[in-house]
């Protein structure tokens, strides 16, 4: 019995055959959706590892939770700090969604309510995810800007600066950035102090921080303070 070659079969129209010599080697490239899903799965596994193993979790433990090898995490994130940054983005987006939803539910824009929503979302995040917060803090405070130099603060900073600028419209742009950073430093320090004792309720903490921030920004923007 004569066996037709691949070329002969194609010419004869017998069947659509893929030439094995021309078959792509290795795995086919992932689509954008597949790459995004793969990355999200790795981030979720890393977050779960932090929650269960604590803030000192290693990159090896993260890989174990994800069911992949350590080089896979390095390939995707470039190292532990890359994982940290990716987790910070997830948390920042969570805070942003919470704030946007609360502002949308209010119907009208209220500066005091907006400040309160941001502060409440940050306090809730830190209170609900203490291991993830500690993980971010321990890894980000190695840089010159400390905790301010991370995706969590960068994303929220951009949104918060709009509100700060609305409350203090006469403040220069460079000073506005410093004030916004100062607000974050104040909130994070106050929340860490509160976590250690919890001597007041979370609601009172949020109200107090929001009032101090608003009053401080209004004072900073007053004509008598400008020079």
């Amino acid at each position: 019995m004569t066996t037709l070659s691949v070329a002969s079969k194609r010419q004869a129209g017998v069947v659509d055959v893929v030439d094995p010599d021309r078959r792509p080697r290795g795995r086919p490239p992932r689509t954008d959706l597949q790459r995004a899903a793969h990355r999200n799965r790795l981030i979720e596994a890393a977050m779960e590892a932090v929650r269960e193993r604590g803030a000192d979790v290693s990159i090896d433990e993260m890989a174990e939770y994800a069911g992949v090898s350590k080089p896979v995490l390095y390939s995707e994130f470039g190292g532990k700090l890359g994982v940290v940054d990716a987790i910070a983005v997830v948390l920042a987006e969570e805070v942003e969604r919470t704030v946007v939803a609360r502002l949308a539910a209010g119907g009208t824009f209220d500066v005091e309510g907006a400040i309160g929503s941001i502060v409440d979302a940050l306090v809730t995040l830190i209170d609900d995810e203490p291991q993830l917060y500690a993980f971010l803090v321990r890894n980000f405070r190695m840089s010159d800007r400390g905790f301010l130099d991370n995706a969590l603060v960068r994303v929220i900073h951009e949104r918060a600066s709009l509100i700060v600028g609305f409350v203090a419209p006469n403040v220069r742009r460079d000073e506005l950035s410093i004030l916004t950073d100062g607000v974050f430093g104040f909130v994070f320090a106050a929340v860490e102090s509160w976590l250690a004792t919890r001597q007041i309720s979370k609601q009172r903490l949020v109200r107090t921080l929001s009032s101090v921030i608003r009053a401080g920004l209004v004072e900073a923007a007053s004509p008598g303070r400008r020079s």
Side-chain angles (χ1 to χ4, degrees):
M1 181 175 180
T2 304
T3 301
L4 294 176
S5 66
V6 171
S8 298
K9 287 181 179 180
R10 285 187 179 137
Q11 290 176 358
V14 175
V15 65
D16 185 11
V17 179
V18 177
D19 187 340
D21 293 331
R22 301 185 60 178
R23 186 175 297 148
R25 301 179 183 276
R27 294 182 179 179
R30 292 191 181 104
T31 65
D32 290 342
L33 287 177
Q34 288 173 328
R35 284 195 294 270
H38 175 69
R39 181 180 177 86
N40 289 339
R41 187 180 69 81
L42 296 179
I43 295 173
E44 289 174 4
M47 292 172 68
E48 193 60 28
V50 174
R51 292 185 181 111
E52 295 192 10
R53 298 289 178 89
D56 293 325
V57 64
S58 67
I59 194 78
D60 297 273
E61 290 173 308
M62 291 179 182
E64 177 187 343
Y65 270 71
V68 299
S69 64
K70 183 176 176 179
V72 170
L73 288 184
Y74 273 93
S75 174
E76 182 67 37
F77 301 105
K80 188 173 183 179
L81 289 182
V83 177
V84 174
D85 198 62
I87 291 176
V89 170
V90 171
L91 298 181
E93 291 175 346
E94 180 181 330
V95 169
E96 182 180 12
R97 284 193 298 269
T98 300
V99 172
V100 170
R102 289 176 180 174
L103 293 179
T108 57
F109 181 80
D110 173 66
V111 174
E112 188 169 353
I115 293 175
S117 293
I118 293 176
V119 172
D120 184 68
L122 285 173
V123 174
T124 299
L125 171 65
I126 297 171
D127 192 28
D128 290 350
E129 298 282 11
Q131 294 292 356
L132 288 176
Y133 174 73
F135 177 69
L136 297 182
V137 170
R138 292 185 188 185
N139 285 281
F140 282 130
R141 285 182 177 167
M142 293 182 291
S143 66
D144 292 338
R145 276 174 52 81
F147 191 74
L148 294 174
D149 189 18
N150 69 84
L152 176 63
V153 172
R154 283 197 300 272
V155 173
I156 303 174
H157 179 115
E158 181 180 346
R159 278 67 175 177
S161 62
L162 297 176
I163 296 176
V164 173
F166 186 85
V167 178
N170 298 323
V171 176
R172 297 195 311 269
R173 190 179 187 86
D174 55 347
E175 189 175 351
L176 179 64
S177 179
I178 294 173
L179 287 175
T180 306
D181 282 342
V183 167
F184 281 116
F186 169 62
V187 170
F188 285 126
V191 174
E192 288 190 5
S193 177
W194 172 73
L195 288 173
T197 61
R198 294 183 182 269
Q199 292 181 343
I200 63 175
S201 68
K202 174 185 169 184
Q203 292 73 20
R204 183 178 175 186
L205 173 69
V206 171
R207 288 196 303 269
T208 302
L209 293 179
S210 301
S211 298
V212 171
I213 291 170
R214 178 176 173 79
L217 292 175
V218 170
E219 176 65 16
S222 63
R225 307 286 294 183
R226 312 307 303 162
S227 60

